[in-house]
Amino acid sequence: MTQAQGPTDQAGGTPPAPPPPPPPASYPPPGAAAPPGAVAPPGTPYQPAPAKPKKPVYKKWWFWALIVIVLIIIISVIANSGGSSNKTTTSGTASPTTAAGGQTAGGQQKLTVGQTGKTGDFEATLNAVTDPYASTNQFVQPAAGTRFVAVDVTMRNVSNDQQPVSSALSFELTDSTGQKYNETFAPGLTAIDGLVPPNDQRRGTMVYQVPLTATGLELRVRGDISSGGTVFTLG
């Protein structure tokens, strides 16, 4: 009994080989990265891995370092171009005294220019008030509808220990409505901030920006954050 034979070619009687699979369009396929050391199959065009997207400039560390350097230069130029401060009308020799300047809601006596009040470990003296204060720096001017008010204060440490003075924490300006105002940067003036040795003093000037219509301005001076402070009327 004979076995059935498969199809043969006409020349030699052997079956034809199956056709090879078609090569991929590219290697590696689009969107995929070839593994390290991989070689593209023969006859296959090599497809390079897609380039990594570049970081935006604002995400680079040197960009922010440059911004900080530029800001430091601008602040330094403004601070050094202020020149000498405006001279204000000062009072006579200040000495600890009680003023007939009214009282606070808590019954505390209010002081005025030229007078001294005890607060915490300090004796505070309001030497002078300039209202309005004219800045000599063209870059530091009051906004429309406002004015600058400058206060010249001496803080004398009457304790036996070194004590700090801060223009932001030791002083508070308010108007007749109770609105509080923060100190304004004003180059060319002597800052009062710093450490005061025992039985020594620091004198400095602070500038505040208030509306043109603001009245009844008062400066509260605190010798420490726990004290009620001493209140001076500015005019």
Side-chain angles (χ1 to χ4, degrees), residues 14 18 23 28 37 65 81 97-98 153 159 177 207 229:
T14 58
S81 62
T97 183
T98 303
V153 180
S159 73
T177 67
V207 175

Side-chain angles (χ1 to χ4, degrees), residues 3 18 34 38 51 78 100-101 105 107 109 129 131 147 161 178 185 209 211 225:
Q3 294 180 350
I78 292 176
Q109 189 72 40
V129 176
D131 184 7
R147 70 184 192 271
D161 300 308
F185 172 70
Q209 183 173 237
I225 58 175

Side-chain angles (χ1 to χ4, degrees), residues 71-82:
L71 288 176
I72 291 175
I73 294 174
I74 292 175
I75 293 174
S76 177
V77 170
I78 292 176
N80 292 330
S81 62

Side-chain angles (χ1 to χ4, degrees), residues 16-154:
S26 62
Y27 182 83
V39 178
T44 304
Y46 180 74
Q47 175 71 24
K52 293 183 178 180
K54 293 184 178 180
K55 282 186 177 180
V57 174
Y58 65 85
K59 289 188 176 181
K60 296 181 181 292
W61 68 267
W62 55 262
F63 175 80
W64 292 106
L66 181 62
I67 292 294
V68 171
I69 293 173
V70 172
L71 288 176
I72 291 175
I73 294 174
I74 292 175
I75 293 174
S76 177
V77 170
I78 292 176
N80 292 330
S81 62
S84 58
S85 62
N86 254 6
K87 296 297 181 181
T88 61
T89 303
T90 60
S91 63
T93 303
S95 59
T97 183
T98 303
Q103 292 183 340
T104 64
Q108 181 183 13
Q109 189 72 40
K110 294 181 181 179
L111 307 180
T112 187
V113 177
Q115 298 182 317
T116 300
K118 177 74 164 55
T119 171
D121 294 318
F122 288 94
E123 287 180 350
T125 302
L126 180 59
N127 303 305
V129 176
T130 305
D131 184 7
Y133 167 74
S135 173
T136 58
N137 190 304
Q138 60 176 328
F139 300 107
V140 182
Q141 297 295 326
T146 69
R147 70 184 192 271
F148 284 157
V149 177
V151 291
D152 178 349
V153 180
T154 296

